[in-house]
């Protein structure tokens, strides 16, 4: 009988043995990481646009608007001479904007065999696929918010055809428009011009001071991390937040990054968008939230099928003149 206390020659195995008989041992010696790593993505739509919920399975959504007018305008028209026997009459013109809606639909299928096998690993295959449905829905809302659905004929925050687009001033070194070539004061000038232009288009209505600016991550990170001067403690972003037109007029300003601004300008340039992030000025409607509509067995394919649906509106812009695009930053 061999003496197991005495070291012997190492055991060797043929390739065929390693590929079959040793497979079970290798599997048993694995340390399994129980965390499942999902795809990386960036979703910012909920931050950059108001979303209202409810409305049902409608085909369109509408919004009423009104304008007023009178003979002689409001400047000299209401002025009355002594003995006048008539007064100008104010007239109201009611209008209606109609926006498109679309139904979102996607299916989930779990085969009977995979469902039975998942019982052995302690995970819910249905739960994993449901997370995939939710990510698909969020990514759909994200692109619909910023760019719209080209195949469906809708636009978004970054490409509204009625918004005004222009280039930022070429006041950087070497007549460059890029922020990386500009001083902090020149960048502040660009921001304040954008805010003032949008506010002027609203006839300086105090409720229409722009409060939201979105831009690419590259420019945002530049102003976030670059100091005003080498000896200063504040960054360019700090400088902008303290000295912008919106804050100085009693409002608040959000400057935020989104990946959709990269290359969104004319000729593939980077775009900065200035607007009023308020339901009165623009919004998107989740008429029917993402819903698990039905689940049924499918005997022909030996699986369970589940349908998820939602009803969504396009981005609704009520005052397009208050949205401003500035390319080349």
């Amino acid at each position: 009988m061999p003496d197991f206390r005495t070291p012997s020659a190492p055991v060797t195995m043929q390739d065929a043995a390693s590929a079959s008989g040793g497979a079970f041992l290798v599997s048993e010696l694995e340390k399994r990481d129980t965390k499942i790593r999902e795809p990386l993505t960036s979703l910012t739509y909920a931050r950059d646009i108001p979303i209202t919920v409810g409305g049902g399975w409608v085909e369109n959504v509408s919004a009423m608007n009104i304008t007023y007018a009178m003979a002689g305008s409001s400047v000299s028209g209401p002025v009355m001479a002594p003995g006048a026997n008539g007064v100008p009459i104010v007239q109201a013109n009611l209008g209606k904007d109609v926006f498109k809606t679309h139904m979102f639909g996607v299916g989930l299928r779990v085969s009977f065999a995979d469902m039975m096998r998942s019982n052995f690993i302690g995970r819910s295959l249905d739960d994993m696929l449901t997370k995939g449905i939710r990510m698909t829905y969020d990514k759909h809302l994200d692109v619909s918010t910023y760019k719209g659905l080209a195949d469906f004929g809708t636009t978004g925050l970054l490409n509204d055809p009625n918004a005004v687009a222009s280039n930022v001033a070429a006041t950087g070194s070497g007549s460059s428009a890029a922020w990386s070539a500009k001083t902090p004061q020149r960048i502040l000038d660009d921001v304040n011009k954008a805010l003032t232009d949008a506010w002027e288009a609203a006839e300086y209505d105090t409720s229409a001071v722009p409060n939201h600016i979105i831009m690419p991550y590259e420019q945002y990170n530049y102003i976030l991390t670059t100091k005003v001067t080498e000896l200063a403690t504040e960054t360019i972003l700090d400088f902008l937040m303290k000295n912008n037109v919106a804050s100085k007029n009693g409002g608040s300003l959000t400057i935020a990054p989104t990946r959709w601004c990269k290359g969104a300008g004319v000729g593939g340039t980077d775009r900065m968008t200035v607007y009023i992030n308020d339901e009165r000025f623009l919004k998107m409607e989740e008429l029917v939230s993402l819903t698990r509509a039905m689940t049924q067995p499918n005997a022909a394919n030996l699986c369970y099928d589940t349908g998820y649906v939602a009803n969504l509106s396009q981005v609704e812009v009520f005052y397009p003149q208050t949205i401003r695009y500035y390319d080349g930053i």
Side-chain angles (χ1 to χ4, degrees), residues 256-274:
T258 180
R259 65 190 180 97
W260 297 102
C261 286
K262 184 69 176 178
V266 177
T269 55
D270 292 347
R271 170 164 285 181
M272 174 178 70
T273 301
V274 178

Side-chain angles (χ1 to χ4, degrees), residues 68-80:
Y68 302 104
M70 64 180 295
S73 78
S74 59
V75 179
S76 58
V79 178
M80 298 182 63

Side-chain angles (χ1 to χ4, degrees), residues 32 48 61 74 90 95 98 156 165 171 213 218 225 252-253 260 318:
R32 188 180 65 174
D48 292 335
V61 294
S74 59
V90 173
V98 179
T171 55
I213 297 177
E218 181 181 354
T225 59
S252 61
L253 181 65
W260 297 102
F318 309 117

Side-chain angles (χ1 to χ4, degrees), residues 11-300:
V11 178
T12 60
M13 300 182 67
Q14 297 179 348
D15 291 341
S18 299
S20 56
F24 176 75
L25 179 61
V26 171
S27 179
E28 286 292 295
L29 291 177
E30 287 179 352
K31 177 184 179 298
R32 188 180 65 174
D33 189 341
T34 58
K35 183 176 182 63
I36 296 180
R37 286 158 179 82
E38 298 180 344
L40 302 176
T41 189
S42 173
L43 301 167
T44 53
Y45 69 92
R47 178 199 66 199
D48 292 335
I49 193 170
I51 300 175
T52 60
V53 179
W57 296 101
V58 297
E59 292 186 350
N60 296 287
V61 294
S62 63
M64 302 296 294
N65 57 71
I66 188 170
T67 57
Y68 302 104
M70 64 180 295
S73 78
S74 59
V75 179
S76 58
V79 178
M80 298 182 63
N85 57 6
V87 294
I89 304 299
V90 173
Q91 298 177 336
N93 181 31
L94 284 168
K96 182 172 71 172
D97 295 323
V98 179
F99 302 96
K100 295 180 179 180
T101 69
H102 66 278
M103 188 173 75
F104 172 92
V106 67
L108 182 155
R109 171 170 290 183
V110 179
S111 72
F112 178 80
D114 288 341
M115 185 171 63
M116 294 297 100
R117 289 167 179 162
S118 67
N119 293 332
F120 285 92
I121 62 174
R123 296 187 190 276
S124 170
L125 185 58
D126 182 78
D127 180 65
M128 286 189 285
L129 293 175
T130 299
K131 290 180 179 178
I133 296 285
R134 182 70 215 189
M135 179 172 286
T136 300
Y137 181 67
D138 284 335
K139 290 174 76 68
H140 176 82
L141 281 172
D142 214 48
V143 67
S144 183
T145 296
Y146 296 103
K147 298 181 65 177
L149 309 176
D151 295 338
F152 191 56
T154 63
T155 54
L157 274 177
L158 300 179
N159 59 353
D160 190 290
N162 298 311
V164 177
S166 58
N167 295 321
V168 293
T171 55
S173 58
S175 297
S176 173
W179 278 6
S180 58
K182 291 184 177 181
T183 64
Q185 181 60 48
R186 295 298 189 187
I187 295 175
L188 177 63
D189 292 343
D190 288 344
V191 170
N192 279 337
K193 176 174 172 48
L195 295 171
T196 304
D197 287 350
W199 194 19
E200 181 184 11
E203 297 189 358
Y204 295 106
D205 188 318
T206 54
S207 66
V209 180
N211 62 6
H212 213 81
I213 297 177
I214 53 178
M215 63 184 65
Y217 277 93
E218 181 181 354
Q219 286 82 348
Y220 178 78
N221 287 330
Y222 175 76
I223 63 174
L224 179 67
T225 59
T226 304
K227 299 289 183 63
V228 176
T229 66
E230 293 183 1
L231 300 178
T233 59
E234 68 175 8
T235 64
I236 296 176
L237 181 60
D238 297 329
F239 177 65
L240 297 179
M241 296 303 292
K242 290 179 181 178
N243 298 285
N244 66 80
V245 167
S247 298
K248 293 296 185 181
N249 280 278
S252 61
L253 181 65
T254 296
I255 299 178
T258 180
R259 65 190 180 97
W260 297 102
C261 286
K262 184 69 176 178
V266 177
T269 55
D270 292 347
R271 170 164 285 181
M272 174 178 70
T273 301
V274 178
Y275 62 100
I276 306 160
N277 189 3
D278 184 270
E279 187 178 325
R280 177 185 173 186
F281 293 85
L282 52 78
K283 66 176 179 176
M284 187 165 60
E285 297 191 52
E286 199 175 23
L287 300 157
V288 177
S289 301
L290 185 63
T291 304
R292 185 168 183 157
M294 61 183 67
T295 300
Q296 67 176 17
N298 185 333

